C-alpha cells in the first residue's frame, strides 16, 4: 500500500495518507487530478473494482467530500480516494467511462447532494425523488421538519376504535 | 412504412409508440416476480425487450439521513432494516465499523456467535431466493417448500435472539445472548431437513426441462463484464471469478473454517442458480463446523462506555462482508461527536439491479425478465437506503 502511494505521490498532488487497516487506506487527491489518478490506478495498479462513490457534507468548512473506494483483487486491498469540492458550486468530473455502475452513483449524488457531474448519462433524471422541488435532501442544512411543515398540509384525522365501530354497527340500540 | 430501427436523436433512441411497432410496458412496482418494490419500464417490440429503464424510489426511507441525527446506539436498530431478507450482514458491519473506530476488540466467543448468525442468515436468504427463482419459472412447488423451510430457520433465530426477521443480535461490543438450551440439537434437525430439501430441489428444479430450456444461456455475464459493471458475489462466481471476501479478506473466524469457493463458468442463469445451490450446502457445512469448534465458555460482550454519551473519535473506515449477493459494505465517517457524520451503505444490488439489469434484459424475452432479475438476486431495499 505504501509503495503504491509513493508511486502515486510522484505523479499526482496528494496529501493526508492514512493507513486505516492492513488492507485499507485513504488518501486525499487534488480535484483536477482525480480522474487521472483513478485511471492510472485502474490501468497500472489493477484497482479494477469500484465499490462505491459517496459524498460527505462538511458544512462547517463549506466543502463536500467525495469518496471513491477502489479494490484491487490481486493484492486484496482497498484504497479510498477523497476529493474536496467547493460547497457553493459543486461540480466534479465524471468517471462513467471507466465503470458502468458509476453513472448510477453519480445520478444519486446529483439528486441527493446537488453535486453536478457534467457528461454523465442520465445524471439529471430523477432517481428516487420524482417531482421533488425542494433543495437536495441529504445536505446537512436541509431541515426535514421545517420542509415538511412548509410543504405538506397537516391533516386532522378522526380516530375510530375498531371495537367501538363494530359495536355501533351491530348493536345500534346499546 | 415503419423503419426497422428506431430513430436516433441526440445520441438516444427515440421509440415512436404511435407507430404500433413498440409498446411501453411497466413491470412493477407491484408485481409477483419482483422482489421488493422496484419497477422496470420496458419498451417491447413483439415480445422482445428493446430498451429498459429501472425506476426505484418506492421504498426510500431515508435511513442514511436518519442515522446522521442519531447516536450510534440509536442507529443500531435502524441498520438491520436496510436489507429485509438478510439483516444480519448490516448488523455485523455496523457493529464492526463502530468497534474499529472506537478501538474495541470483541471477545472470541462473540466472534464465533456472529459468524454462526451470519451463516444462518445466508441460508435463510438463499432459501427465500430459490423460492422466487423457481417461482418465476413456473415451479411453484419448490417455492412453497423453500419458503416453508425458511420458516424453520426463522424459528432458530427466534430462539436465539427473540425475533424472526430483524434480529438485532450483533450489538456494538459483542452479541446480545448466548446459545439457548437445546438450540444445537434443534439446529441439527433443521439442517438435516434442509439438506434433504436441497436434494429434492436438485431433482425437481435442475433436471426440469422447462427450467433448463429457459435458464441455460439466459442473461449471460461474460468475464469481461465483471470489472466493467462491478459485479460481485455469486453473480461473479458463476462467470468463473473465484472471489469471496470470506477467503480473500477473512473477517471474524472464517480463517478457522474449511470451505472452498464455489464457481461455475457458464455465467448464465442456470450457472448462477447452481452456484447458490452449492453455497447453501456450504452454509450448512459451515454452521456444523462452527457449532463443533466454537468455545463453550467465555464472555460474549465487551463493556462499552456509556452509550448515550459515547463520543466516537474522528476518523473513517470501510468494512465489508460477503452477503448472499456479494460485497456488502459500510463506510462510516465520524467527526468526534456523539453522532455519525455520514454512514454510507454499499449494497451489491445497487450495481446489479440498476446498471447491469438495464443492459442484460435488452434483447431478451418479456417473459424471462423477472426470472433474470431474480437470478441477479437483487433486493431493492438496499438500493435506496
Amino acid at each position: 500500500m505504501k509503495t503504491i502511494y509513493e508511486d502515486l505521490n510522484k505523479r499526482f498532488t496528494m496529501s493526508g495518507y492514512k493507513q486505516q487497516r492492513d488492507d485499507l487506506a485513504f488518501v486525499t487527491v487534488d480535484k483536477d487530478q482525480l480522474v487521472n489518478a483513478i485511471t492510472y490506478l485502474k490501468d497500472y495498479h489493477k484497482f479494477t473494482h469500484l465499490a462505491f462513490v459517496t459524498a460527505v457534507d462538511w458544512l462547517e468548512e463549506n466543502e463536500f467530500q467525495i469518496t471513491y473506494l477502489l479494490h484491487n483483487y490481486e493484492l486484496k486491498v482497498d484504497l479510498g480516494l477523497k476529493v474536496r469540492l467547493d460547497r457553493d458550486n459543486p461540480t466534479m468530473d465524471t468517471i462513467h467511462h471507466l465503470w458502468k455502475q458509476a453513472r448510477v452513483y453519480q445520478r444519486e449524488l446529483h439528486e441527493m447532494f446537488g453535486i453536478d457531474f457534467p457528461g454523465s448519462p442520465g445524471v439529471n433524471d430523477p432517481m428516487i425523488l420524482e417531482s421533488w422541488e425542494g433543495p437536495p435532501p441529504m445536505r446537512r442544512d436541509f431541515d426535514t421538519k421545517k420542509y415538511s411543515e412548509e410543504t405538506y398540509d397537516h391533516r386532522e384525522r378522526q380516530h375510530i376504535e375498531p371495537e367501538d365501530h363494530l359495536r355501533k354497527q351491530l348493536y345500534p340500540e346499546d | 412504412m415503419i423503419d426497422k430501427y428506431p430513430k436516433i436523436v441526440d445520441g438516444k433512441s427515440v421509440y415512436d409508440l404511435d407507430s404500433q411497432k413498440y409498446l411501453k410496458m411497466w413491470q412493477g412496482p407491484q408485481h409477483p416476480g419482483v422482489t421488493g418494490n422496484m419497477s422496470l419500464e420496458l419498451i417491447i417490440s413483439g415480445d422482445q425487450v428493446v430498451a429498459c429503464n429501472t425506476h426505484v424510489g418506492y421504498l426510500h426511507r431515508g435511513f442514511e439521513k436518519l442515522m446522521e441525527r442519531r447516536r450510534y446506539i440509536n442507529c443500531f436498530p435502524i441498520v438491520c432494516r436496510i436489507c429485509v431478507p438478510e439483516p444480519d450482514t448490516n448488523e455485523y458491519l455496523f457493529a464492526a465499523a463502530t468497534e474499529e473506530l472506537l478501538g474495541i476488540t470483541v471477545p472470541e466467543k462473540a466472534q464465533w456467535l456472529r459468524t454462526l448468525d451470519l451463516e444462518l442468515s445466508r441460508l435463510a436468504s438463499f432459501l427465500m431466493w430459490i423460492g422466487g427463482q423457481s417461482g418465476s419459472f413456473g415451479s411453484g412447488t419448490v417455492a412453497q417448500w423453500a419458503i416453508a423451510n425458511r420458516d424453520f430457520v426463522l424459528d432458530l433465530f427466534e430462539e436465539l435472539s427473540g425475533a424472526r426477521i430483524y434480529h438485532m443480535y450483533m450489538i456494538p461490543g459483542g452479541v446480545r445472548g448466548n446459545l439457548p438450551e437445546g438450540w444445537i440439537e434443534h439446529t441439527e434437525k433443521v439442517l438435516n431437513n434442509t439438506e434433504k430439501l436441497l436434494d429434492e430441489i436438485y431433482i425437481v428444479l435442475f433436471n426440469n426441462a422447462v427450467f433448463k430450456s429457459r435458464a441455460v444461456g439466459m442473461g449471460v455475464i461474460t468475464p469481461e463484464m465483471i470489472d466493467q459493471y462491478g459485479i460481485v458475489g455469486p453473480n461473479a462466481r458463476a462467470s468463473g471469478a473465484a472471489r469471496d471476501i470470506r477467503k480473500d479478506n477473512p473477517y471474524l473466524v472464517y480463517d478457522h473454517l474449511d470451505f472452498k469457493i464455489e464457481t461455475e463458468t457458464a455465467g448464465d442463469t442456470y450457472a448462477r442458480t447452481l452456484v447458490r445451490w452449492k453455497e447453501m450446502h456450504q452454509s450448512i457445512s459451515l454452521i456444523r463446523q462452527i457449532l463443533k469448534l466454537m468455545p463453550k465458555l467465555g464472555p460474549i460482550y465487551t463493556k462499552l462506555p456509556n452509550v448515550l454519551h459515547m463520543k466516537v473519535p474522528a476518523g473513517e473506515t470501510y468494512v465489508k462482508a460477503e452477503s448472499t449477493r456479494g460485497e456488502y459494505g459500510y463506510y462510516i465517517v465520524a467527526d468526534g461527536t456523539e453522532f455519525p457524520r455520514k454512514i454510507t451503505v454499499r449494497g451489491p444490488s445497487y450495481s446489479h439491479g440498476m446498471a447491469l439489469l438495464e443492459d442484460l434484459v435488452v434483447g431478451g424475452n418479456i417473459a424471462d425478465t423477472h426470472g433474470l432479475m431474480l437470478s441477479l438476486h437483487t433486493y431493492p431495499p438496499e438500493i435506496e437506503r
Side-chain angles (χ1 to χ4, degrees):
Chain A
M1 282 301 258
K2 197 76 186 166
T3 48
I4 293 171
Y5 172 64
E6 277 160 10
D7 182 36
L8 275 179
N9 209 5
K10 275 182 221 151
R11 291 159 209 272
F12 307 104
T13 327
M14 300 210 156
S15 58
Y17 176 79
K18 190 170 180 238
Q19 183 96 32
Q20 178 73 22
R21 283 195 308 262
D22 289 346
D23 58 352
L24 174 69
F26 289 101
V27 67
T28 309
V29 192
D30 207 48
K31 184 190 161 191
D32 304 330
Q33 293 186 331
L34 182 101
V35 178
N36 291 342
I38 288 186
T39 315
Y40 180 74
L41 278 169
K42 190 185 176 207
D43 291 348
Y44 291 93
H45 286 291
K46 304 269 170 61
F47 279 86
T48 50
H49 176 57
L50 174 76
F52 67 85
V53 183
T54 189
V56 185
D57 189 352
W58 297 99
L59 183 62
E60 299 81 8
E61 295 155 41
N62 203 29
E63 275 179 338
F64 281 125
Q65 170 195 322
I66 304 188
T67 308
Y68 300 80
L69 204 108
L70 311 178
H71 181 70
N72 183 329
Y73 278 114
E74 287 177 10
L75 300 173
K76 292 165 182 147
V77 289
D78 286 312
L79 179 63
L81 293 173
K82 299 187 286 182
V83 62
R84 290 285 186 132
L85 307 180
D86 183 20
R87 208 168 171 282
D88 299 326
N89 183 22
T91 311
M92 187 59 213
D93 298 331
T94 171
I95 55 160
H96 72 274
H97 54 289
L98 298 172
W99 286 282
K100 302 231 179 186
Q101 82 268 33
R103 70 180 158 88
V104 186
Y105 287 108
Q106 290 173 355
R107 197 172 143 200
E108 191 188 12
L109 289 186
H110 181 253
E111 184 172 276
M112 291 295 178
F113 287 91
I115 300 169
D116 199 11
F117 293 88
S120 180
V123 72
N124 292 323
D125 298 350
M127 181 169 155
I128 289 164
L129 311 165
E130 276 174 32
S131 73
W132 176 266
E133 283 168 357
M138 285 289 281
R139 292 191 179 194
R140 279 183 90 84
D141 51 2
F142 176 77
D143 190 339
T144 39
K145 188 158 183 284
K146 186 162 154 268
Y147 178 81
S148 67
E149 278 169 358
E150 280 171 3
T151 318
Y152 307 109
D153 293 331
H154 182 67
R155 189 169 56 178
E156 290 293 342
R157 278 168 59 182
Q158 195 188 351
H159 181 70
I160 301 169
E161 276 294 324
E163 201 185 327
D164 298 344
H165 179 72
L166 262 182
R167 191 173 291 141
K168 236 177 247 172
Q169 293 281 312
L170 293 172
Y171 313 106
E173 58 275 2
D174 276 11
Chain B
M1 179 68 194
I2 303 163
D3 291 332
K4 192 178 177 192
Y5 299 106
K7 268 188 242 154
I8 293 176
V9 181
D10 291 337
K12 273 186 181 172
S13 309
V14 179
Y15 299 99
D16 182 12
L17 296 177
D18 291 334
S19 71
Q20 306 205 342
K21 186 173 162 55
Y22 303 108
L23 183 71
K24 184 186 271 193
M25 220 185 87
W26 288 77
Q27 186 164 354
Q30 309 295 338
H31 188 277
V34 179
T35 42
N37 298 68
M38 179 176 171
S39 65
L40 309 177
E41 182 189 356
L42 305 166
I43 307 272
I44 53 175
S45 174
D47 63 353
Q48 196 186 25
V49 181
V50 289
C52 169
N53 207 354
T54 50
H55 289 266
V56 292
Y58 304 98
L59 264 176
H60 188 71
R61 296 142 296 175
F63 281 153
E64 287 184 358
K65 181 90 182 166
L66 267 177
M67 289 194 282
E68 285 177 15
R69 309 279 169 92
R70 274 162 172 71
R71 289 179 167 75
Y72 283 84
I73 201 72
N74 295 129
C75 296
F76 158 70
I78 293 180
V79 287
C80 52
R81 285 164 168 82
I82 289 174
C83 179
V84 187
E86 198 191 1
D88 302 86
T89 323
N90 291 283
E91 291 169 19
Y92 161 66
L93 289 170
F94 175 74
T98 313
E99 283 151 12
E100 191 183 315
L101 289 171
L102 282 168
I104 293 175
T105 46
V106 181
E108 200 197 341
K109 169 121 195 209
Q111 296 200 9
W112 283 90
L113 284 169
R114 280 182 176 186
T115 321
L116 177 70
D117 192 41
L118 282 177
E119 281 306 321
L120 260 182
S121 82
R122 276 173 67 85
L123 184 62
S125 172
F126 274 138
L127 281 169
M128 189 161 176
W129 159 82
I130 206 163
Q133 180 72 77
S134 52
S136 71
F137 287 112
S139 175
T141 319
V142 174
Q144 303 285 351
W145 290 348
I147 299 294
N149 203 78
R150 174 175 175 263
D151 245 46
F152 295 121
V153 181
L154 297 187
D155 285 346
L156 294 177
F157 276 125
E158 193 176 359
E159 276 182 45
L160 182 66
S161 64
R164 292 175 75 81
I165 305 292
Y166 301 126
H167 314 125
M168 290 183 249
Y169 183 62
M170 289 178 253
I171 196 163
V175 293
R176 275 202 300 119
N178 220 326
L179 293 185
E181 216 169 291
W183 194 82
I184 295 177
E185 292 77 37
H186 190 181
T187 309
E188 192 51 44
K189 218 164 122 187
V190 173
L191 293 184
N192 284 339
N193 285 342
T194 312
E195 266 189 333
K196 265 184 224 156
L197 175 84
L198 288 180
D199 291 344
E200 281 175 20
I201 286 178
Y202 191 87
I203 296 167
V204 175
L205 189 65
F206 289 92
N207 295 325
N208 184 318
V210 176
F211 179 69
K212 246 184 169 170
S213 63
R214 287 179 72 181
V216 173
M218 183 177 123
V220 176
I221 296 175
T222 57
E224 295 81 53
M225 283 164 78
I226 294 175
D227 285 338
Q228 272 175 16
Y229 287 88
I231 300 167
V232 288
N235 292 343
R237 290 199 279 278
S239 302
R243 292 165 181 175
D244 192 324
I245 299 171
R246 293 175 296 175
K247 274 273 185 220
D248 297 343
N249 305 72
Y251 50 97
L252 294 174
V253 294
Y254 279 110
D255 43 354
H256 296 285
L257 303 172
D258 174 35
F259 64 103
K260 68 175 178 57
I261 303 176
E262 303 287 0
T263 51
E264 284 287 321
T265 47
D268 56 4
T269 302
Y270 190 83
R272 289 195 281 274
T273 314
L274 203 57
V275 164
R276 295 200 180 99
W277 182 82
K278 285 184 194 165
E279 288 196 11
M280 289 206 254
H281 274 297
Q282 187 190 66
S283 283
I284 292 172
S285 142
L286 285 174
I287 293 167
R288 288 203 175 118
Q289 287 179 43
I290 293 165
L291 288 176
K292 207 171 130 196
L293 297 171
M294 190 164 70
K296 297 283 172 286
L297 297 167
I300 55 165
Y301 188 72
T302 314
K303 204 163 165 15
L304 290 177
N306 185 343
V307 286
L308 296 177
H309 308 289
M310 182 173 74
K311 284 188 178 164
V312 176
E316 60 196 318
T317 188
Y318 175 66
V319 288
K320 56 182 180 177
E322 184 79 18
S323 72
T324 44
R325 301 163 308 289
E327 175 187 353
Y328 210 106
Y330 264 62
Y331 172 65
I332 299 190
V333 182
D335 53 1
T337 59
E338 295 109 316
F339 304 97
R341 170 63 67 158
K342 170 88 183 167
I343 298 181
T344 297
V345 185
R346 183 253 189 259
S349 299
Y350 204 95
S351 45
H352 293 166
M354 295 198 70
L356 177 64
L357 184 70
E358 279 180 10
D359 290 355
L360 270 189
V361 296
V362 171
N365 192 307
I366 176 91
D368 289 339
T369 311
H370 60 276
L372 178 62
M373 184 180 173
L374 277 157
S375 83
L376 297 174
H377 203 178
T378 52
Y379 285 145
E382 64 186 47
I383 297 179
E384 30 187 331
R385 287 83 58 192

